[in-house]
Amino acid sequence: MSSPDGVEALVVGPGAMGCLHAALLAEGGVKVGLLDHRSERAATIERQGIIVEREGGSVVVPIRCSAQASDFFPARLAIILVKAYDTEAAAEHVLDALGEGASVLTLQNGLGNYERIAGHVPPEQVLAGTTSSGATLLGVGKVREAGRGMIRFGSPFGQQERAEQTAEVLTGAGLECEVSESVEQILWEKAIINAAINPLTALTGLRNGQLLDDPDLQGTLAAITEEASRVAVAAGMEVRQDMVAVVEQVCRQTAANRSSMLQDLSAGRRTETDYIGGEIARRAREQRMSAPLCSALSALVKAAERKETMTS
Ligand code: KPL
């Protein structure tokens, strides 16, 4: 496959969020590519397109997909949507696709992603944020869209103009997004949401909304949120006072979702707990405090991961 003039946006990672965002950008008229690290799977996706199931039926979105980053050179924007434990590998892999001065935007779950990317890409080119869209991976290149959310991002290195230019590409494709100067706050708030919802759903098998149906679980959800928020504040973040209400609201908005951690655990895949609850517990130790709920839940998820791999 040749690429005489590159792509406007290159999505890295053909998981649920990667496939969904690549499809949305393509549907929005952006010249987009999808970078995988497995060539056989890339060939399958390139042949079949991305299949998106949504209310009202399913659509097939043609996509250029390859495991050769250079096939997409020069990409003007890369959007990293691999699992947090694959960030380093993805940042290295994407380098051959990047045109001069290209922006690299991470919308991954977890803390520490943009810092790892900035170890490979010039920091001023790195953007970071979150997406609140929901998606479930149904098979290779096949996703169910579980609600269109908002992308909030910015430059952790003060490159506001670069963030605004990237927002134009995303909004031009019909994606709702907001540029913010408080990147750390956005990332921490999402990490707190994930630290509360993901392990509870992963360990119980419940959907996000069902966490609110059980008063004991609802109380646990609130307790984790408060604990993680205290760590964020100790780490110098400004955290919203109403974080418990925010987390409960996310449960309602994504009520039918199986969280990404539940999806990973059920599929026998490694989860991102080391970069969410596990990382919050680590940051708590840095501040000479403890985060017993985050620690315990992360340990339980790791144990469940090992059990799943042994039995699957
Ligand atoms: O980000 C999510 C995830 O599943 O990882 C939430 C917001 C919990 C939605 O399911």
Side-chain angles (χ1 to χ4, degrees):
M1 188 174 62
S2 69
S3 166
D5 50 359
V7 289
E8 215 173 335
L10 177 62
V11 175
V12 184
M17 293 309 248
C19 283
L20 177 68
H21 284 81
L24 292 176
L25 288 165
E27 287 179 300
V30 172
K31 188 175 177 196
V32 62
L34 180 59
L35 180 63
D36 194 352
H37 67 282
R38 283 167 47 187
S39 38
E40 259 177 48
R41 186 172 56 188
T44 305
I45 298 175
E46 164 114 343
R47 211 171 34 247
Q48 73 173 30
I50 296 175
I51 303 161
V52 186
E53 280 192 6
R54 47 170 75 111
E55 245 170 74
S58 79
V59 285
V60 179
V61 182
I63 195 85
R64 290 174 53 203
C65 186
S66 168
Q68 283 294 326
S70 55
D71 285 343
F72 301 106
F73 180 83
R76 284 168 290 283
L77 165 68
I79 305 178
I80 311 285
L81 277 164
V82 298
K83 294 289 177 187
Y85 46 80
D86 282 332
T87 301
E88 294 267 1
E92 246 180 78
H93 189 188
V94 80
L95 287 177
D96 282 345
L98 300 180
E100 207 186 327
S103 298
V104 180
L105 166 64
T106 160
L107 295 176
Q108 302 160 272
N109 275 346
L111 294 171
N113 290 307
Y114 81 75
E115 296 88 333
R116 280 189 287 280
I117 294 170
H120 298 269
V121 175
E124 66 275 12
Q125 291 174 222
V126 178
L127 302 170
T130 61
T131 167
S132 57
S133 288
T136 304
L137 193 65
L138 301 173
V140 172
K142 187 170 182 191
V143 279
R144 182 181 308 119
E145 183 173 5
R148 191 82 55 92
M150 157 89 103
I151 295 174
R152 296 168 72 209
F153 73 99
S155 162
F157 303 99
Q159 305 292 310
Q160 186 72 5
E161 208 179 306
R162 179 184 287 276
E164 301 285 356
Q165 282 161 0
T166 301
E168 274 171 34
V169 176
L170 303 177
T171 48
L175 300 183
E176 225 191 310
C177 71
E178 188 183 285
V179 171
S180 167
E181 287 182 31
S182 319
V183 179
E184 290 292 342
Q185 192 178 341
I186 294 174
L187 297 177
W188 266 94
E189 281 180 6
K190 180 78 192 298
I192 294 168
I193 292 167
N194 288 132
I197 297 176
N198 292 24
L200 290 186
T201 48
L203 294 168
T204 58
L206 293 174
R207 289 176 192 270
N208 297 355
Q210 291 174 309
L211 294 178
L212 303 179
D213 295 341
D214 175 334
D216 290 335
L217 282 179
Q218 190 178 14
T220 310
L221 190 75
I224 307 165
T225 305
E226 280 161 1
E227 177 183 282
S229 300
R230 279 195 297 276
V231 178
V233 170
M237 297 303 126
E238 253 180 57
V239 177
R240 298 170 58 141
Q241 293 289 314
D242 59 345
M243 262 325 277
V244 172
V246 169
V247 170
E248 290 183 353
Q249 181 64 9
V250 173
C251 286
R252 276 185 221 101
Q253 276 164 350
T254 62
N257 256 32
R258 284 158 53 83
S259 77
S260 56
M261 200 171 275
L262 172 56
Q263 290 184 49
D264 287 340
L265 204 57
S266 327
R269 288 190 296 261
R270 183 178 169 191
T271 73
E272 295 180 299
T273 192
D274 285 337
Y275 301 85
I276 303 173
E279 180 64 16
I280 292 177
R282 201 186 63 74
R283 306 244 179 149
R285 286 193 296 277
E286 261 177 23
Q287 301 302 323
R288 296 176 185 282
M289 58 195 287
S290 64
L293 290 172
C294 286
S295 286
L297 285 163
S298 194
L300 288 171
V301 170
K302 299 287 287 178
E305 250 176 45
R306 287 192 292 274
K307 184 163 160 257
E308 283 297 324
T309 355
M310 280 190 297
T311 53
S312 62

